[in-house]
Amino acid sequence: VMFDDVAAENPYLEIGGYFKPNTKPRGKLAVIIPFRNRKFHLRVLLHYLHPVLQSQRFEYCIYVINQSNKGVFNKGALMNVGYLEAMKRHNYSCYVFHDVDLLPEEHRCLYTCSDDVRHISTGISKFKYKLVGGVTVGGVSAFTTAQLQRVNGWSNRYVGWGGEDDDMAIRIRAHGMRIRRPSPSLCKFTSLPHGPDPGNPLNKKRFNMLRHTTKEMFGDGVNSVEYSVLGETLQATFTNITVELGK
Ligand code: UDP
Ligand code: BGC
């Protein structure tokens, strides 16, 4: 078993990293982690995240959307794939998008959706737990199905590091929707250090691309993401879906 120490800590998980509390759940979450080549981070995240979600009494499953070696990393497209694949498997009411390198520190910081899109990772250790880049929704965010469908999900155009979260903030605003943020002193996350990822170069064109978001968003998102599933494995503590992006 992969990560059998984490599996041993979480005896009530079902295969694939599924959990159902024995009292009425607070909600039904799909946790979606865009991923490539960060196995060490994933093990540590699962160790911290499972107990938090269980103590908050959610019914949930963790999906790792693993981009194949082909192509530049594309976080937005992977998050769209995660949404589309998770909703085929269960009727979730809330989708939480989660960077693999952010560890929740506070059991009181709820992984819930609300009437507004929620940007959850407001306090991050590497930013001294102060909100930075405060207009975006990067890191950890939560969307209902209706909220995500309304903005057509994430852009698939941002290959490489950065921009997809700025783009999402523009989509949300363009639809007259709002972003709700818990206080950074409540929602604290430890960011794990990492070097530059060779398959994920800085997207230098992102600021220019952001000027076209409102024009492109209706045809660029969950309704246009191109991918094929290369394989799915049900690990003890998560569901792994390996995908190749593109036609
Ligand atoms: N990511 C990944 N492999 C990569 C690049 C990114 O798994 O090669 C995922 C991972 O979930 C990570 C997120 O994309 O947390 C955001 O990328 P990164 O951590 O590099 O950005 P940072 O938040 O550190 O600026
Ligand atoms: C990037 C975003 C990032 C933000 C804060 C921007 O330049 O485009 O993806 O979240 O900086 O780091």
Side-chain angles (χ1 to χ4, degrees):
V1 199
M2 208 196 278
F3 307 151
D4 41 7
D5 50 344
V6 183
E9 293 162 1
N10 292 282
Y12 301 113
L13 283 182
E14 289 172 36
I15 186 86
Y18 199 91
F19 178 79
K20 196 172 175 161
N22 54 18
T23 53
K24 191 176 180 301
R26 194 193 284 274
K28 192 163 171 177
L29 307 181
V31 178
I32 292 160
I33 305 175
F35 182 88
R36 180 194 253 173
N37 194 27
R38 296 268 190 103
K39 211 164 147 185
F40 166 72
H41 284 183
L42 180 60
R43 192 185 136 271
V44 181
L45 174 62
L46 294 169
H47 165 78
Y48 286 100
L49 185 54
H50 277 301
V52 170
L53 295 172
Q54 287 169 32
S55 76
Q56 295 180 358
R57 219 172 12 85
F58 283 108
E59 179 175 350
Y60 70 89
C61 187
I62 297 184
Y63 296 92
V64 172
I65 312 300
N66 177 28
Q67 185 176 342
S68 71
N69 290 330
K70 200 181 148 203
V72 178
F73 192 73
N74 186 333
K75 187 175 157 189
L78 292 175
M79 293 192 284
N80 286 336
V81 172
Y83 164 68
L84 293 170
E85 290 298 318
M87 75 174 204
K88 284 184 198 163
R89 288 161 177 80
H90 291 276
N91 62 327
Y92 295 105
S93 54
C94 181
Y95 294 82
V96 173
F97 299 97
H98 208 303
D99 278 9
V100 78
D101 58 2
L102 293 178
L103 314 176
E105 294 182 23
E106 296 288 344
H107 280 243
R108 299 169 307 151
C109 170
L110 277 183
Y111 276 86
T112 187
C113 281
S114 76
D115 295 344
D116 297 318
V117 172
R118 287 184 78 232
H119 180 209
I120 298 178
S121 56
T122 49
I124 296 180
S125 61
K126 74 172 168 192
F127 302 127
K128 304 203 158 45
Y129 300 107
K130 296 217 165 68
L131 187 63
V132 295
V135 293
T136 79
V137 284
V140 182
S141 58
F143 295 72
T144 63
T145 309
Q147 288 161 353
L148 205 58
Q149 283 293 346
R150 195 149 171 228
V151 297
N152 192 20
W154 302 83
S155 173
N156 304 300
R157 298 187 300 138
Y158 298 82
V159 289
W161 187 91
E164 79 296 328
D165 53 345
D166 307 323
D167 182 285
M168 176 54 89
I170 294 173
R171 289 174 186 237
I172 292 167
R173 199 173 339 118
H175 285 83
M177 296 157 65
R178 283 185 307 199
I179 300 171
R180 192 177 299 183
R181 292 193 177 82
S183 133
S185 60
L186 174 67
C187 286
K188 290 183 174 168
F189 290 79
T190 298
S191 47
L192 294 172
H194 59 83
D197 299 287
N200 194 25
L202 188 68
N203 179 354
K204 292 191 185 132
K205 297 192 197 127
R206 66 189 186 286
F207 299 112
N208 192 41
M209 291 167 68
L210 291 167
R211 306 207 328 254
H212 305 288
T213 301
T214 51
K215 178 168 93 247
E216 303 277 351
M217 61 189 178
F218 301 103
D220 166 32
V222 284
N223 69 359
S224 67
V225 60
E226 287 172 339
Y227 68 102
S228 34
V229 173
L230 300 184
E232 173 187 303
T233 49
L234 300 181
Q235 299 287 339
T237 57
F238 65 97
T239 294
N240 182 84
I241 301 176
T242 299
V243 298
E244 185 170 296
L245 296 177
K247 277 208 208 24

